[in-house]
């Protein structure tokens, strides 16, 4: 059988999609981890920031060399960049034999066949229905313990800076039956943790024959499948974080106590321009609700610095909301203008890059302090960890995560990957907790 090598960039949704792609092609190709022996290389791409796209262009230059060495090698580009740049990519990147957008993966066998006959082929049609719901992903890169399960696709929010609604199309949910079926199979294979994925999971909604399923209801259904199965989710938009969902997280021990709640900015002026639909105050009200109902819950976030017109005061509002919430962890970015978005049409990208860098550094430094303070509060506490693998530093040590999604390193002793172990934290760095078991 021919050999397929897949390289994935971008968000967890893309990693989940690559598993779907591997499944669609499994009759034609077996997977390889050695790019040298590949007959087909697929690059699953991300368009979220300019840097992400530059990285892919650079990678395509490198792939040209492989193609010179092996004439029969085919290279295909998948994902958000395929959607954003469409046919233009085929013209400017001769290394590509075909491109397929995020809703076009079922047509991959056809695209590959067409391109073998000398046609450059592409399919970047977006769909209102496609959820790949009957396709069982091939978990080729998983650790055998923890898996991603895609439950919805697309996004309807149109935050003014963001390219995702254009690259992923309209929001659509996958049927509960196929989601539960997929998790049932994971349980049979001894998986212990699932992360339910979507760009905006809490707007998950399914209605069929009088049965209505909200995201909170779906979470409860998954949590009830097995007390030994940990359930996580990503990402939730603050505007849809319902009391029902917070109560559901509180009700089940096996729903992890960690909520990723991207704030983007602490300034009402910026939030309004970003079209985030919440205010600083309504965001903080959700945080108070989480802290009241889930006292041990970690809260993590995404932050953008240097959005159009961001003043120093606006920036200080971001720093102060970070302190007020006390995030456990944050993904922090400089604003990157994306063609086609509302912001690119209406708001100038007017903060100089050096100033964006300076603000980003401030945000990163503050998050370092907050993460360290949070970790110091954990010293002396005992947590249940799900063991994921050997620690990078030493084979005598294992690592796993607690419910709050913090990485904990502890002595191997007789513990196995996939075990739940109770460990007591003795020391910490800003990034990890060290423990005894
Ligand atoms: N759907 C998720 C996030 C998807 S993208 C949500 O809304 O929470 C992940 C993160 O990338 C966003 O939360 C945002 O912080 C960042 N991001 C998106 N577009 C960006 C842009 N144009 N420039 C910089 N960061 C961006
Ligand atoms: Fe982008 Fe906003 Fe949708 Fe998130 S919710 S994917 S930031 S448009
Ligand atoms: Fe990137 Fe597309 Fe995900 S733009 S962040 S791969 S949805």
């Amino acid at each position: 059988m021919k050999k397929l090598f897949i390289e994935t960039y971008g968000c967890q949704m893309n990693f989940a999609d690559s598993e779907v792609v591997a499944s669609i092609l499994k009759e034609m190709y077996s997977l390889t981890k050695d790019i040298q022996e590949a007959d087909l290389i697929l690059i699953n791409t991300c368009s979220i920031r300019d840097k992400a796209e530059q990285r892919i262009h650079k990678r395509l230059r490198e792939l040209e060399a492989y193609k010179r060495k092996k004439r029969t090698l085919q290279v295909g580009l998948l994902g958000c960049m395929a959607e954003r740049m469409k046919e233009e990519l085929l013209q400017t990147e001769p290394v590509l034999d075909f491109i397929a957008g995020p809703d076009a993966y079922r047509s991959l066998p056809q695209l590959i066949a067409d391109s073998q006959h000398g046609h450059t082929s592409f399919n970047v049609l977006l769909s209102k229905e496609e959820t790949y719901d009957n396709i069982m992903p091939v978990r080729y890169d998983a650790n055998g313990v923890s898996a991603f399960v895609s439950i919805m696709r697309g996004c309807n929010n149109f935050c003014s800076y963001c390219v995702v609604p254009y690259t992923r199309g309209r929001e659509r949910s996958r049927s509960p039956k196929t989601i539960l079926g997929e998790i049932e199979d994971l349980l049979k294979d001894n998986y212990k943790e699932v992360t339910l994925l979507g760009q905006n999971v809490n707007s998950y909604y399914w209605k069929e024959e009088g049965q209505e399923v909200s995201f909170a209801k779906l979470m409860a259904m998954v949590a009830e499948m097995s007390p030994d199965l940990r359930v996580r989710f990503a990402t939730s938009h603050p505007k849809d974080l319902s009391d029902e969902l917070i109560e559901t997280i509180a009700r089940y021990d096996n729903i992890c106590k960690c909520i990723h709640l991207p704030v983007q900015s602490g300034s009402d002026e910026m939030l309004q321009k970003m079209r985030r639909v919440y205010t600083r105050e309504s965001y903080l009200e959700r945080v108070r609700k989480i802290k009241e109902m889930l006292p041990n819950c970690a809260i993590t976030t995404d932050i953008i610095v240097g959005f159009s017109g961001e003043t120093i005061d606006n920036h200080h509002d971001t720093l102060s909301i970070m302190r007020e919430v006390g995030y456990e962890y944050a993904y922090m970015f400089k604003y990157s203008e994306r063609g086609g978005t509302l912001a690119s049409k209406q708001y100038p990208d007017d903060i100089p890059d050096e100033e964006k860098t300076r603000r980003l550094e401030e945000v990163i430094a503050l998050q370092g302090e907050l993460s360290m303070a949070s970790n110091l509060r954990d010293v002396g506490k005992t947590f249940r960890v799900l063991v994921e693998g050997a620690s990078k530093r030493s084979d005598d040590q294992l690592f796993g995560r607690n419910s709050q999604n913090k990485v904990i390193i502890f002595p191997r002793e007789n513990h196995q990957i996939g075990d739940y172990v109770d460990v007591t934290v003795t020391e910490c760095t800003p990034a990890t907790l060290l423990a005894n078991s």
Side-chain angles (χ1 to χ4, degrees):
M1 211 192 276
K2 286 186 173 178
K3 296 254 191 299
L4 164 64
F5 181 88
I6 311 185
E7 202 165 278
T8 309
Y9 297 82
C11 63
Q12 292 163 338
M13 302 282 299
N14 252 17
F15 284 83
D17 280 2
S18 288
E19 297 181 335
V20 166
V21 167
S23 174
I24 290 171
L25 296 176
K26 68 172 184 265
E27 312 296 329
M28 300 163 64
Y29 293 90
S30 63
L31 283 159
T32 175
K33 286 197 188 314
D34 177 6
I35 192 166
Q36 304 283 353
E37 63 170 27
D39 300 292
L40 171 62
I41 299 176
L42 293 175
I43 308 287
N44 196 356
T45 61
C46 174
S47 283
I48 199 83
R49 284 167 289 275
D50 184 54
K51 252 200 192 152
E53 290 192 345
Q54 292 315 325
R55 209 168 139 206
I56 309 275
H57 285 299
K58 195 163 156 250
R59 185 66 179 135
L60 293 178
R61 294 286 79 70
E62 290 164 13
L63 295 184
E64 282 168 3
Y66 288 102
K67 227 173 169 172
R68 276 195 296 274
K69 266 190 271 165
K70 189 172 183 178
R71 291 275 167 205
T72 55
L73 174 67
Q74 285 193 291
V75 179
L77 185 134
L78 316 177
C80 290
M81 241 174 118
E83 198 58 54
R84 204 173 86 79
M85 308 181 69
K86 307 206 166 73
E87 303 98 285
E88 174 197 327
L89 268 177
L90 287 172
Q91 268 133 37
T92 55
E93 296 285 0
V95 68
L96 295 176
D97 293 290
F98 59 90
I99 68 172
D103 287 345
Y105 298 149
R106 284 183 207 263
S107 69
L108 277 171
Q110 190 59 49
L111 289 171
I112 294 167
D114 288 351
S115 71
Q116 274 160 345
H117 297 116
H119 306 285
T120 43
S121 53
F122 60 90
N123 182 349
V124 289
L125 291 176
L126 286 173
S127 154
K128 289 204 176 86
E129 288 96 30
E130 180 64 274
T131 56
Y132 301 112
D133 62 349
N134 57 345
I135 293 177
M136 194 49 82
V138 175
R139 318 261 168 208
Y140 62 91
D141 241 356
N143 55 7
V145 176
S146 182
F148 294 123
V149 176
S150 175
I151 62 160
M152 51 99 65
R153 299 181 72 82
C155 180
N156 286 350
N157 289 326
F158 289 94
C159 300
S160 65
Y161 52 82
C162 183
V163 80
V164 172
Y166 306 93
T167 61
R168 293 267 167 177
R170 295 292 61 74
E171 217 165 83
R172 66 217 98 119
S173 297
R174 177 180 172 191
S175 75
K177 199 170 143 221
T178 60
I179 296 170
L180 298 180
E182 186 175 327
I183 298 172
E184 196 63 59
D185 283 355
L186 287 167
L187 281 169
K188 279 189 205 130
D189 287 340
N190 280 320
Y191 276 81
K192 297 285 172 60
E193 184 176 85
V194 290
T195 304
L196 307 185
L197 285 185
Q199 284 301 352
N200 186 11
V201 279
N202 33 25
S203 59
Y204 177 90
Y205 180 76
W206 184 263
K207 191 171 178 188
E208 192 178 46
E209 292 160 9
Q211 186 203 17
E212 273 184 77
V213 183
S214 65
F215 179 60
K217 180 120 181 260
L218 180 72
M219 286 286 282
M221 286 156 83
V222 175
E224 278 174 20
M225 289 175 77
S226 161
D228 280 339
L229 178 73
R230 274 186 171 180
V231 190
R232 299 186 186 276
F233 61 98
T235 298
S236 41
H237 193 295
K239 79 177 163 58
D240 305 309
L241 188 81
S242 65
D243 286 357
E244 186 199 7
L245 178 59
I246 301 176
E247 281 154 18
T248 306
I249 300 172
R251 197 157 64 240
Y252 293 93
D253 272 350
N254 58 334
I255 299 185
C256 289
K257 305 298 179 266
C258 178
I259 301 183
H260 187 61
L261 204 61
V263 68
Q264 315 298 0
S265 168
S267 142
D268 279 339
E269 214 178 311
M270 289 298 110
L271 288 172
Q272 195 179 8
K273 253 172 122 171
M274 288 175 166
R275 300 192 69 212
R276 288 293 286 181
V277 212
Y278 51 85
T279 60
R280 179 187 174 101
E281 186 42 39
S282 67
Y283 181 94
L284 286 171
E285 184 278 323
R286 288 290 80 193
V287 169
R288 282 194 292 274
K289 186 80 188 179
I290 295 170
K291 292 193 171 176
E292 176 196 319
M293 304 275 305
L294 304 166
N296 297 322
C297 189
I299 304 179
T300 61
T301 202
D302 293 348
I303 287 168
I304 298 177
V305 302
F307 186 55
S308 174
E310 187 187 64
T311 63
I312 288 293
D313 280 353
N314 298 150
H315 170 60
H316 287 160
D317 287 340
T318 297
L319 296 172
S320 73
I321 204 168
M322 289 171 71
R323 279 204 195 85
E324 217 165 319
V325 179
Y327 294 110
E328 262 61 39
Y329 188 82
Y331 297 92
M332 298 154 281
F333 312 105
K334 289 196 263 188
Y335 171 54
S336 166
E337 186 177 82
R338 309 314 287 132
T341 58
L342 187 79
S344 76
K345 291 176 197 152
Q346 294 193 348
Y347 308 125
D349 181 11
D350 54 3
I351 308 297
D353 191 57
E354 316 83 78
E355 180 58 16
K356 284 183 187 169
T357 304
R358 198 192 64 76
R359 292 182 196 181
L360 182 64
E361 279 166 3
E362 269 184 23
V363 164
I364 292 173
L366 173 57
Q367 187 52 49
E369 282 172 37
L370 296 174
S371 296
M372 188 63 185
S374 162
N375 283 354
L376 281 169
R377 287 195 295 275
D378 288 342
V379 174
K381 288 187 194 160
T382 300
F383 293 102
R384 176 147 297 188
V385 204
L386 173 59
V387 184
E388 285 181 38
S391 136
K392 271 184 221 130
R393 262 179 259 150
S394 144
D395 246 12
D396 301 334
Q397 308 252 298
L398 294 173
F399 84 95
R401 282 163 208 272
N402 64 7
S403 173
Q404 289 72 15
N405 210 24
K406 286 190 184 179
V407 173
I408 306 189
I409 295 174
F410 57 96
R412 179 184 284 269
E413 293 169 359
N414 292 322
H415 307 304
Q416 306 293 322
I417 293 173
D419 285 353
Y420 285 106
V421 184
D422 290 328
V423 299
T424 303
V425 176
T426 51
E427 283 176 71
C428 69
T429 71
T432 31
L433 301 174
L434 307 177
N436 289 330
S437 58

